[in-house]
Amino acid sequence: MSWHDPLLEELGIGPLWVSRTAASAQPQPAAGVTEPVASVRAAPARELPRPVAAAAPLVRALGQADESGEPIAALGWDALEQRVSQCTLCTLCEKRTQTVFGVGDRNANWMLIGEAPGENEDKQGEPFVGQAGKLLDNMLQALALQRDRNVFIANVLKCRPPGNRNPEPVEVERCAPYLQRQVALVQPKLIVAMGRFAAQSLLKTTASIASLRGRLHEYENVPVIVTYHPAYLLRSLPDKAKAWTDLCLAKATFDKLSG
Ligand code: URA
């Protein structure tokens, strides 16, 4: 019996993160969240439309500069967060309650990247705070990571797509320089891309998650491991085992990179 078994029993949560192939030196399994949720993103939360930059100049869309003349690629953390909070480069700004910049250690070795804020994230301004976030926290625990300590968590999009819809290519394109700058500032040793959208956006591919898992990729010279999105895992228990294998690969890769 390991340290977390009594806790899991107490909570009525099964030890779902069980590796079938992991070697003994692999991270400890963490608890899963067994209660399925229909969706992590739902109804619109804001009524007042905001002005959108009517035809945002392409240079801005590509992250070159705004009225201040400062390119996104040159911004420090505070200026970047400020720029994101005032962003009107796509229509998502019309419906958002607030932007969701990202959370965690800005010097972390690990960076986890999801798709876009959902309803809860839009309200609270922090990524992965709903049911999917609980599962993500358990996944992090399995890697000895904690969101407020040694990992930085961000999304491809900083604003919530209304009605739980998929991000549009133009939204991904316009938001991309923000994530690119975050990665440049954090300088993580490893990125874990969670879900199809994160993986496809970072890796500039249309390939399926299934074909991207299990091997090393690169984004801005940082190694990337692809895994399933926690919200998907809440609905697909069998794939939790696969995600556990992905985390083991991420940990083994990280350990190797760290020498
Ligand atoms: N799904 C995501 O991809 N990101 C969040 O922050 C919340 C749900």
Side-chain angles (χ1 to χ4, degrees), residues 40-41 100 114-118 121 126-130 132 154-155 194 229 231:
V40 289
R41 298 203 234 112
V100 178
E115 179 181 323
E121 290 76 18
E126 180 170 331
F128 289 100
V129 291
N155 284 310
M194 300 180 292
H229 193 284

Side-chain angles (χ1 to χ4, degrees), residues 55-71:
L58 195 58
V59 278
R60 279 211 271 149
L62 296 177
Q64 299 307 306
D66 70 350
E67 296 80 4
S68 70
E70 199 77 50

Side-chain angles (χ1 to χ4, degrees), residues 86-254:
Q86 295 171 349
C87 183
T88 56
L89 289 177
C90 79
T91 53
L92 292 182
C93 68
E94 293 171 8
K95 297 260 169 72
R96 73 182 177 219
T97 304
Q98 58 193 311
T99 53
V100 178
F101 182 68
V103 70
D105 176 3
R106 292 178 170 187
N107 298 305
N109 286 328
W110 290 75
M111 201 161 163
L112 271 75
I113 301 179
E115 179 181 323
E119 186 183 19
N120 295 315
E121 290 76 18
D122 173 74
K123 280 187 187 140
Q124 295 182 41
E126 180 170 331
F128 289 100
V129 291
Q131 286 295 310
K134 283 189 193 164
L135 179 55
L136 177 59
D137 286 343
N138 286 333
M139 292 162 73
L140 291 176
Q141 198 186 341
L143 297 166
L145 300 174
Q146 252 180 322
R147 68 166 64 209
D148 50 1
R149 220 163 52 87
N150 49 8
V151 61
F152 192 84
I153 305 171
N155 284 310
V156 171
L157 295 190
K158 310 304 183 205
C159 296
R160 174 182 176 237
N164 199 29
R165 71 157 167 76
N166 289 334
E168 298 285 349
V170 67
E171 294 159 359
V172 173
E173 184 197 336
R174 296 203 172 179
C175 223
Y178 297 131
L179 182 62
Q180 206 174 351
R181 186 60 186 151
Q182 286 179 311
V183 171
L185 288 168
V186 174
Q187 295 188 282
K189 287 201 173 117
L190 187 72
I191 290 173
V192 178
M194 300 180 292
R196 184 167 67 91
F197 268 94
Q200 292 182 340
S201 312
L202 294 186
L203 305 177
K204 300 210 179 342
T205 177
T206 54
S208 68
I209 281 276
S211 69
L212 296 171
R213 289 182 52 245
R215 58 200 169 93
L216 211 50
H217 305 269
E218 226 178 64
Y219 170 75
E220 301 283 318
N221 295 320
V222 180
V224 175
I225 296 286
V226 169
T227 192
Y228 295 104
H229 193 284
Y232 166 76
L233 293 176
L234 288 174
R235 303 186 299 263
S236 171
L237 293 186
D239 283 331
K240 279 192 174 178
K242 291 189 195 162
W244 172 245
T245 305
D246 298 337
L247 295 190
C248 290
L249 174 62
K251 179 78 167 79
T253 305
F254 178 80

